[in-house]
Amino acid sequence: MNTFDLQSIIRENIKKLTPYQVKEFPCKIKLDANESPFPVKLSQIVNEIDISLNRYPDPDALELKKAISRRFKINTNNIMIGNGSDELIYYLILTFGGPVLYPVPTFSMYGIIAQSVGVKKIESKLDKNFDINEKEFIDLIKKKKPSLIFLSSPNNPTGNTFSADKILKIIEIAIKKSSIVVIDEAYHPFCSEKGFLPFLKDFDNLLILRTLSKIGLAGLRVGYLIGTDKILNEVGKVRLPYNVDALTQYIATHAINNFYSKIKKFIREIIKEREIMHKELSQIKGIRVYPSEANFILFKAKNSKEIHEKLIKAGILVRDISSVVKDSLRVTIGTKEENTEFIKTLKNILEG
Ligand code: PMP
């Protein structure tokens, strides 16, 4: 075979990039990716898919925007749909560039996308309660004038929300420095606080990111960005024309219109199970469990790597977070049966 020097044409920032790790082990209980554990069959949402595949999808995904608009009381002009919220994060960084500021540990895609696009990333360590280090964060905004600030609240992988007062202060200072603040509310449906949608009317540098992935529809790939039409028009310049396919638009629209009461029931069940799981974990010797407002729980245990491997051997997959939070694992809330099996196995590993 004729060969060529592939390395010589790869951009330097891509050479140094570690891709998002999705390690798949075939496990009977999958509690690693913050998905909903409740199966959703297509036939529960639509009987017949009434679309013609010879045509491109609606580039504006208007029906889906209308469904979101009705349910969450947001104007369609203030919504942009993405192929998952990942895609919208990508578009934001592509549009506004850097520096991109975010606290760590957090969702790894902010940093991965910034690096792939080739913009500067600034990371500020969370404090010991996994809240924003206010002084450092505000100093960084003032000194570095980031184009974008990402705040995942509730935060992945820690599970807590950031203090609302701190977030508000950040938005107020950011607006003076012409920085956009993106509150990533991927886990908001599981959270007891009201979130930041009500503040959109007060700050035009504020964007909210939401997704259908955590509430039962991860297979569809639908995320949405909410903000001023002025900002969305700019982001729209880099959006690929048909980024959300016709099947996804159709199914997601029907899911929001006709299946949402079921989704809400699943969410309530997950919150109930999270409280049970939290209590159970806190009673296991050798484990430190952190509070959660999301559909997963972070916990610390010595030998977390060994525990992770033993859980896999027992057919249970959780996420090893030890590279970002020492000795820690993140477990997604599953069904009652899955959670019971997980707790039983974990107890056996630790105590047996
Ligand atoms: N934001 C956060 C905080 C997440 O944890 C995730 C998924 N892990 C995403 C965004 C991406 O979600 P989506 O499936 O919508 O791309």
Side-chain angles (χ1 to χ4, degrees):
M1 191 202 285
N2 294 318
T3 59
F4 74 107
D5 184 3
L6 176 63
Q7 288 302 316
S8 71
I9 58 166
I10 298 174
R11 288 159 57 220
E12 284 309 312
N13 40 316
I14 303 299
K15 277 187 195 164
K16 284 184 233 137
L17 190 61
T18 319
Y20 185 79
Q21 292 290 340
V22 189
K23 276 198 198 135
E24 288 286 348
F25 300 94
C27 277
K28 67 175 194 294
I29 300 182
K30 190 175 180 311
L31 304 176
D32 67 318
N34 301 342
E35 299 143 322
S36 164
F38 304 110
V40 175
K41 300 286 173 214
L42 192 53
S43 57
Q44 290 174 272
I45 299 173
V46 285
N47 299 320
E48 188 196 346
I49 300 184
D50 183 20
I51 49 176
S52 287
L53 292 175
N54 58 315
R55 301 293 180 196
Y56 280 112
D58 172 7
D60 294 322
L62 193 57
E63 289 307 312
L64 178 50
K65 280 186 191 169
K66 281 187 193 159
I68 293 171
S69 166
R70 275 193 299 270
R71 180 148 307 276
F72 301 106
K73 313 280 175 280
I74 308 157
N75 202 311
T76 52
N77 294 339
N78 301 120
I79 303 170
M80 176 181 281
I81 315 279
N83 193 307
S85 35
D86 283 348
E87 187 188 40
L88 295 164
I89 298 167
Y90 183 68
Y91 288 161
L92 283 166
I93 299 179
L94 207 54
T95 307
F96 298 107
V100 173
L101 170 65
Y102 50 88
V104 282
T106 192
F107 183 43
S108 59
M109 287 310 290
Y110 311 138
I112 292 175
I113 295 172
Q115 192 169 335
S116 19
V117 172
V119 310
K120 193 173 158 52
K121 44 188 193 187
I122 306 169
E123 301 183 339
S124 164
K125 259 201 157 146
L126 291 172
D127 68 17
K128 63 178 193 326
N129 299 318
F130 296 139
D131 201 356
I132 296 166
N133 191 333
E134 185 179 320
K135 187 178 175 318
E136 180 182 279
F137 208 85
I138 285 177
D139 282 350
L140 284 169
I141 300 173
K142 288 181 178 164
K143 279 199 203 111
K144 309 281 181 180
K145 298 190 178 64
S147 308
L148 285 164
I149 297 168
F150 284 98
L151 301 174
S152 161
S153 189
N155 186 36
N156 177 13
T158 58
N160 58 304
T161 51
F162 299 137
S163 135
D165 287 348
K166 290 186 184 180
I167 296 182
L168 275 177
K169 225 183 240 175
I170 286 169
I171 302 169
E172 280 164 3
I173 290 174
I175 203 163
K176 293 190 193 128
K177 299 288 164 193
S178 297
S179 298
I180 291 177
V181 179
V182 185
I183 319 259
D184 184 342
E185 295 190 338
Y187 300 99
H188 178 264
F190 310 98
C191 170
S192 58
E193 293 166 27
K194 65 178 190 296
F196 277 78
L197 273 188
F199 292 98
L200 280 174
K201 62 176 184 345
D202 303 323
F203 301 100
D204 70 356
N205 67 329
L206 176 62
L207 295 174
I208 310 282
L209 200 51
R210 296 251 176 118
T211 179
L212 301 188
S213 297
K214 314 296 168 190
I215 55 174
L217 299 167
L220 278 188
R221 307 302 296 130
V222 173
Y224 53 102
L225 181 64
I226 311 155
T228 66
D229 49 355
K230 244 167 55 190
I231 296 184
L232 297 192
N233 286 343
E234 295 306 315
V235 183
K237 293 179 183 171
V238 304
R239 184 176 67 83
L240 300 176
Y242 305 109
N243 62 324
V244 185
D245 69 79
L247 277 174
T248 298
Q249 290 188 31
Y250 189 86
I251 300 162
T253 303
H254 281 74
I256 291 173
N257 287 339
N258 309 325
F259 191 67
Y260 215 77
S261 56
K262 203 70 189 262
I263 286 179
K264 285 205 275 198
K265 197 171 150 257
F266 291 154
I267 293 170
R268 283 197 298 272
E269 182 68 21
I270 289 167
I271 294 172
K272 202 173 91 198
E273 281 300 315
R274 178 185 71 204
E275 298 314 307
I276 297 171
M277 172 97 97
H278 192 275
K279 196 162 156 228
E280 295 270 351
L281 279 170
S282 64
Q283 284 165 359
I284 302 177
K285 241 178 113 185
I287 279 187
R288 174 167 180 208
V289 56
Y290 294 97
S292 172
E293 292 276 344
N295 66 340
F296 57 84
I297 293 178
L298 183 76
F299 64 96
K300 200 170 237 187
K302 258 198 198 139
N303 309 324
S304 63
K305 279 206 170 299
E306 202 183 312
I307 296 170
H308 184 243
E309 276 161 29
K310 286 186 175 165
L311 282 168
I312 291 175
K313 284 208 181 101
I316 302 172
L317 186 59
V318 300
R319 187 66 66 95
D320 176 9
I321 301 290
S322 58
S323 62
V324 289
V325 187
K326 196 167 175 271
D327 297 331
S328 292
L329 297 168
R330 189 193 71 192
V331 57
T332 305
I333 308 304
T335 60
K336 184 172 257 331
E337 295 70 32
E338 289 173 333
N339 302 337
T340 307
E341 179 76 20
F342 162 72
I343 292 287
K344 195 178 98 193
T345 312
L346 187 64
K347 275 186 183 160
N348 281 343
I349 293 171
L350 283 161
E351 294 166 1

